[in-house]
Structures are given as structure tokens and as C-alpha cells.
Amino acid sequence: MNQCEVESYTFHLTLVHQAQESLAGALMVAGQLGGGQGERLADAAREAFVSGLSASLVARAVILALGTVGMLLLISNAGTRELGTGKQGERA
């Protein structure tokens, strides 16, 4: 490989790295590519971003729901202890 080929290869690796790092990086590279390739890259980057965002929101909702159930169980148990009931519901 000559110097020009090495620089071109390095430049392309830099573009690939930018496109993989963030949505903004991918859109910047898509703008530099232009044409059909740029449009396809921009569409794929947006789709990947939305897909990742959706997955993280679902995970957060599940964690929030589990936390809510846990807190309700703790509050329920604390209320029972404050009333002074025993295991069979008798007064302590």
C-alpha cells in the first residue's frame, strides 16, 4: 500500500467509527456520503436509534413497575406490623 491508500483507508475507518458512535455521527457521515448511500445510512441510523430508545424505555417501565410492586408490598407489611397483628391476625 502506498501513502495515499493508507490515508484513504484511515479516513474511511474514521468515518465508520463516527457512524457507529452516535446518531449525530452517523448523520454527519451520511451527509458526507450524499446520494442514495447517504440516505440509506441516515435511515438506518434513525431506525437503529429509535429501536434502541424503545427497548430502553420498555426496560425502564418494567423496572419501575417492579419497584412499585416492591414498595406496595413493603408498605403493606409495615402497615400490618403497626396494627400489632400477629401471624394469625391476633392482637399482640
Side-chain angles (χ1 to χ4, degrees):
M1 288 181 107
N2 62 30
Q3 182 66 26
C4 184
E5 290 174 329
V6 170
E7 287 176 4
S8 176
Y9 181 74
T10 304
F11 176 73
H12 285 100
L13 283 180
T14 302
L15 290 179
V16 168
H17 180 71
Q18 285 178 339
Q20 290 175 338
E21 283 298 305
S22 67
L23 176 60
L27 294 177
M28 184 185 76
V29 172
Q32 290 176 352
L33 282 174
Q37 280 185 325
E39 270 187 50
R40 286 191 297 275
L41 176 59
D43 289 343
R46 286 186 195 103
E47 187 176 326
F49 177 78
V50 170
S51 176
L53 184 61
S54 296
S56 70
L57 289 175
V58 168
R60 290 176 188 184
V62 168
I63 291 170
L64 180 62
L66 291 173
T68 301
V69 168
M71 287 304 298
L72 289 173
L73 290 172
L74 285 173
I75 290 170
S76 171
N77 287 340
T80 303
R81 277 188 245 134
E82 286 178 8
L83 294 174
T85 57
K87 284 186 178 178
Q88 281 101 26
E90 301 170 353
R91 281 274 196 215

